[in-house]
Amino acid sequence: MAFEATGTAELLGGDDASDATANCCPDAAAVTSVDRLTEPETVATRLCEGFKRHDDRQRSAAIEAFAAVDSFQFRHLDAGTVRQAATAYVDALWAKDAVEDRHRRGGDAEGEIDQEALAAADWSAVESALSERAARLGIDAEYATLTTAGWRKHKTGGDYWTPHLRAQQLELRAVLRDPSYPHKPRHGTDGAGPEATRYLLGVELHDCRRWTEATDVMVPYFAAIERARSDDEPDVE
């Protein structure tokens, strides 16, 4: 997942404030289930819900939404691993907000971001959390570096879409367990693939707060994952 959510309210605000200090990798044995989705339409809705929950600073609800999405994508992994990965992703989003808030002019949490200072800031906490997600889900480690670069450039200017596309390609390769994705019979073999490109369109629609369109765009994304899934691939509960 590489949507870049943009909520910048008080870092520990809301009912979920106590969750922000939770270990990003809870004991897998203590996690018994996640919401196992089967319909691409529902998964797309939950994905957008996750980013809305982040914007509203509802950390626990964001984790639940992203865990449900990853349970669909990484059906071969157990519930504990999926939830750990979702928690790490939300940790990354919260860390992103924290570094942004530290580089707002005038010390105002709602103030304008100092783009030059933010570009030079320490984003290691963001990349570390994304690295944790990648490790849990078997995504190439470059995913964390690329996603961090995309998030940073999204706020500071420049080409943020290229790292986002590459990061999403790496995630899809892990989801499909196909290191050669995308398979193109003719030209444009360096492209990130139609699904990764569709995901980037979802990012753009999120930026415009066109949530219905973003959900509609992502339904074929998850449908493609479902089609590519091997018929004999066992689900892990």
Side-chain angles (χ1 to χ4, degrees):
M1 289 175 289
F3 273 87
E4 196 274 330
T6 55
T8 52
E10 183 177 358
L11 180 61
L12 299 182
D15 294 338
D16 295 285
S18 61
D19 290 343
T21 57
N23 187 340
C24 72
C25 303
D27 183 3
V31 181
T32 58
S33 67
V34 293
D35 185 8
R36 294 280 183 180
L37 306 179
T38 59
E39 297 297 327
E41 293 82 1
T42 307
V43 184
T45 299
R46 291 288 270 162
L47 177 66
C48 288
E49 180 188 349
F51 292 109
K52 289 179 181 178
R53 296 293 192 178
H54 165 250
D55 289 348
D56 293 338
R57 317 310 298 152
Q58 297 175 350
R59 187 175 183 277
S60 294
I63 291 172
E64 291 301 318
F66 290 132
V69 173
D70 275 341
S71 75
F72 175 88
Q73 296 194 113
F74 297 91
R75 199 171 289 176
H76 56 284
L77 298 178
D78 64 86
T81 299
V82 166
R83 191 176 296 279
Q84 289 165 353
T87 303
Y89 188 72
V90 172
D91 285 345
L93 289 171
W94 254 250
K96 177 191 71 68
D97 290 348
V99 70
E100 289 172 4
D101 288 346
R102 286 196 297 271
H103 294 87
R104 293 183 180 277
R105 292 189 173 92
D108 182 355
E110 298 297 325
E112 182 182 356
I113 289 175
D114 183 334
Q115 292 186 335
E116 184 175 347
L118 185 61
D122 179 8
W123 286 71
S124 59
V126 177
E127 186 167 352
S128 177
L130 290 168
S131 293
E132 178 65 28
R133 178 172 191 265
R136 294 289 173 180
L137 299 177
I139 305 173
D140 188 296
E142 189 183 6
Y143 160 89
T145 302
L146 289 165
T147 302
T148 302
W151 286 1
R152 184 176 65 249
K153 290 183 178 181
H154 193 271
K155 288 298 176 69
T156 62
D159 175 8
Y160 77 87
W161 46 92
T162 298
H164 266 318
L165 282 170
R166 174 62 177 160
Q168 205 58 34
Q169 181 188 65
L170 293 177
E171 179 169 322
L172 280 161
R173 287 176 175 178
V175 168
L176 302 172
R177 292 192 278 182
D178 179 1
S180 299
Y181 170 89
H183 298 278
K184 296 185 178 182
R186 290 178 62 85
H187 307 295
T189 55
D190 288 337
E195 284 70 44
T197 305
R198 180 179 292 278
Y199 201 103
L200 182 63
L201 176 56
V203 174
E204 292 292 301
L205 290 167
H206 163 270
D207 288 346
C208 297
R209 294 299 187 266
R210 290 157 60 175
W211 290 110
T212 299
E213 291 179 69
T215 302
D216 290 345
V217 160
M218 292 306 298
V219 171
Y221 177 95
F222 293 114
I225 291 172
E226 184 68 12
R227 286 195 305 271
R229 206 184 307 274
S230 172
D231 290 340
D232 59 359
E233 179 178 295
D235 292 355
V236 177
E237 297 297 337

